[in-house]
Amino acid sequence: MIDYCYHTHTFRCGHADGTDEEYVQCALKAGMKTLGFSDHIFLPGIHEPFSRGDYGLLNDYVSSIRSLQAKYASQITIHLGFESEYFPAFDSYYRQLLNDKTIDYLILGHHFRFENNATTFYYGMSKTPAQIHEYADGVVRGMETGLFKYVAHPDLFMAGYRGGPLDPDIQAVTRQICEASKRLDIPLEINLGAMRFRGLFHDGYELRYLYPYEPFWVVAGEIGCKVIIGVDAHHPPELQGTEYLYAEELITKFHLNVIRHIDI
Ligand SMILES: [Zn+2]
Ligand SMILES: [Zn+2]
């Protein structure tokens, strides 16, 4: 079992379900000691119904999780955060959320390109080398801000991209992200989400998951990056799933420098 999860969504994002309290109850049933809520960040002025909750939901999210934090304090440590891209236009917003302690932490989930005040491209659909290099540049720029406790699904670019483990662009992007992780001491997340919506498949080059993408984690192991498991729960019972067993296999097989806790 894993006794922590820092990557948990809520119904507010428009593509998750259950009540906030059901996530806590499922975490307790799974034997967890730490549960971090990290819903897709609500952005002022941005309306994206199935990607993220509206900014107007912020107070409800904060008050709901804070009250669960108090109610269950003797049983489980609950943290309040967001999963967020780093969009420079919102730099002061991110900092304010953290500085005034509206939330406790951010994790970096670099899903989208942002331009003209809207998200315009999902990096999980990357098909070209230019798109995966742009993804990596965005991830590293986010890491360098110091705002984020870890990088969620750093290998998200492989959900769409094809090329096989010898592809030089896959190798370059992998190395760029892993070297930044090591240099900046920011953990990388083995994300269990994609395994639930698509099992092993053959991409024309190799049998694999959308992510975790094993050749990425070989390099993370060689470089000595810190690694953490994240459930990426969008339905409460997912906190009780068994996908972490595969993550533990990767940790053993690639000698990953696993951590089981982040300081918040
Ligand atoms: Zn989501
Ligand atoms: Zn994500």
Side-chain angles (χ1 to χ4, degrees):
M1 57 170 271
I2 52 170
D3 67 357
Y4 65 89
C5 175
Y6 296 95
H7 194 161
T8 312
H9 294 278
T10 79
F11 67 91
R12 295 171 188 81
C13 67
H15 59 271
D17 62 20
T19 66
D20 300 339
E21 189 155 18
E22 283 166 352
Y23 285 94
V24 177
Q25 287 165 346
C26 286
L28 287 169
K29 281 185 211 152
M32 288 189 181
K33 300 277 183 284
T34 305
L35 177 66
F37 282 89
S38 56
D39 209 357
H40 297 284
I41 193 164
F42 318 145
L43 295 171
I46 305 293
H47 177 64
E48 295 181 328
F50 301 104
S51 286
R52 64 183 82 244
D54 277 355
Y55 181 65
L57 295 170
L58 181 63
N59 287 344
D60 174 64
Y61 178 54
V62 170
S63 68
S64 171
I65 305 307
R66 292 294 185 212
S67 80
L68 292 169
Q69 205 173 34
K71 179 173 175 181
Y72 288 91
S74 66
Q75 298 171 70
I76 188 167
T77 301
I78 293 175
H79 298 295
L80 171 59
F82 277 122
E83 178 186 19
S84 178
E85 294 81 5
Y86 178 68
F87 297 146
F90 291 95
D91 183 277
S92 59
Y93 171 62
Y94 308 134
R95 289 182 197 283
Q96 189 185 340
L97 287 173
L98 292 168
N99 289 343
D100 68 13
K101 300 192 166 42
T102 304
I103 59 167
D104 306 323
Y105 73 110
L106 290 170
I107 59 174
L108 179 63
H110 196 61
H111 307 103
F112 297 107
R113 176 192 299 157
F114 189 80
E115 53 194 351
N116 303 321
N117 216 34
T119 58
T120 57
F121 177 71
Y122 174 53
Y123 291 113
M125 307 266 285
S126 294
K127 299 284 182 233
T128 68
Q131 288 163 342
I132 67 173
H133 284 284
E134 179 185 308
Y135 169 78
D137 290 345
V139 169
V140 172
R141 185 166 59 228
M143 292 166 88
E144 286 172 342
T145 64
L147 290 166
F148 298 94
K149 289 294 184 184
Y150 74 59
V151 182
H153 45 62
D155 44 355
L156 172 76
F157 63 98
M158 287 306 297
Y161 193 80
R162 306 287 179 262
L166 300 179
D167 181 286
D169 295 291
I170 294 176
Q171 290 182 350
V173 163
T174 296
R175 197 153 281 280
Q176 183 184 353
I177 294 172
C178 291
E179 283 174 355
S181 158
K182 180 71 177 174
R183 172 169 58 90
L184 299 164
D185 194 28
I186 299 178
L188 303 175
E189 179 201 64
I190 300 177
N191 184 286
L192 308 184
M195 297 171 61
R196 291 190 299 262
F197 54 79
R198 181 155 188 191
L200 281 171
F201 71 105
H202 203 284
D203 73 355
Y205 296 90
E206 56 196 319
L207 187 67
R208 65 174 180 94
Y209 293 105
L210 291 169
Y211 54 86
Y213 180 62
E214 291 200 12
F216 181 98
W217 297 99
V218 171
V219 174
E222 287 166 2
I223 291 180
C225 304
K226 286 183 183 163
V227 166
I228 189 163
I229 298 171
V231 179
D232 200 355
H234 286 76
H235 311 286
E238 290 173 352
L239 292 167
Q240 299 167 264
T242 55
E243 291 82 5
Y244 66 85
L245 293 170
Y246 172 68
E248 297 288 2
E249 265 178 48
L250 293 186
I251 288 164
T252 305
K253 190 160 62 169
F254 302 136
H255 309 289
L256 299 177
N257 179 14
V258 68
I259 60 167
R260 310 280 181 181
H261 170 86
I262 52 175
D263 288 325
I264 289 178

